[in-house]
Each structure stands twice: as C-alpha cells, then as structure tokens.
Amino acid sequence: PETVAAIRDGKCPIYDAGLDEAFSQVILSVGTDYVAVLDTDITFLCVGTPNNEDGTCDLSQITAAIEVLGKTLRRKEGYHLVVIKSTVIPGTTVNTVIPLLEKYSGKSVGQQLGVCMSPEFLSEGNLLNDFLHAEYIIIGESDQQAGDRLAALSAAFASPIERVDLTTAEMIKY
C-alpha cells in the first residue's frame, strides 16, 4: 500500500540513475487489485523470489500473484499473455506457474492464454539503463503465438532477441 500511494503521488518508490525523470514522464494506473489487467493484452509478473533459510526458492509471492491474476483473467474475454520476469529455478514456469494459472483462470495455455519467461538482467542503481539498452532479450515461450506477441513488443528495443523454451529461459537467468 505504501508503494502504491507513492506512485499515485508521482514519486518513484526506488532510487535508480535517471529513473525519477523517466518516472515523471509516464502515466501510471496503480492499485492493489488486478482489475486493470482486464483492459490489457499482456501482464508482466515481477515479484520477489527470495531464498528460504534452507537455500530453496520461496515461490509464495509468485503463487499468490498467479492465483489473483488467474481469478481476474477468468472474467476476461479473448487472449491474454502472462510474462514472468521473476527469477525462478528451471521448471517453475512449466510445473508451477502454468498449472496454477490454468486452474484459477479456467483457461488453457496455448489457446486463451500464453505464457512467456523473460528474465531480467538488471544491476542495482542502473536499472533503467540496463532495461533500455539490454545486451539481449531472452524470450522463453509456451508456444509460438505467445513468443510472437512478446517478440513484437520487444522489437521496439534495439537488443537482439533469443527465443527458447520456458525452462531454457529460466536456466539462462541462473
């Protein structure tokens, strides 16, 4: 809620070189629910996946986000692409994300839904520059339609695009 309030006030909630200026030049609609995705074609899911004490990946934030997103997408007509940006262990998108998304949305990946894994390669304090001038863009795709849609969006950047399967994209990040 504090982050949402800061964004509504036009304040960037994190520090990064050049981000304040860029932040002031965009119009954002923010909230604590997912209803806005009903008016979009693509959702980028970027949530924390910290390590548990035993070194395993804590997927609680991603599974909670997928549950709410899936329940919201149940009400949506037409195709929707979900892009996972979070760092997850190889196999997570296929074995956890897709089954939960299908369960909660009542829709099928490859038909009404597409899923891509597009890991971020960002360094703290240089996020904006790393994002705008990425050395490359990785697109792990559930199917060709999903990959085509994300590739079309990513074509606006001058970075080369490498398309692979979902698990390979997760492994490239690691």
Side-chain angles (χ1 to χ4, degrees), residues 90-94 117 140 164-172:
T92 299
T93 304
V94 170
M117 160 46 102
V164 297
D165 64 75
L166 294 166
T167 303
T168 299
E170 293 164 331
M171 188 64 199
I172 289 170

Side-chain angles (χ1 to χ4, degrees), residues 150-168:
L150 186 55
L153 180 67
S154 300
F157 299 94
S159 306
I161 297 171
E162 184 67 34
R163 291 173 65 169
V164 297
D165 64 75
L166 294 166
T167 303
T168 299

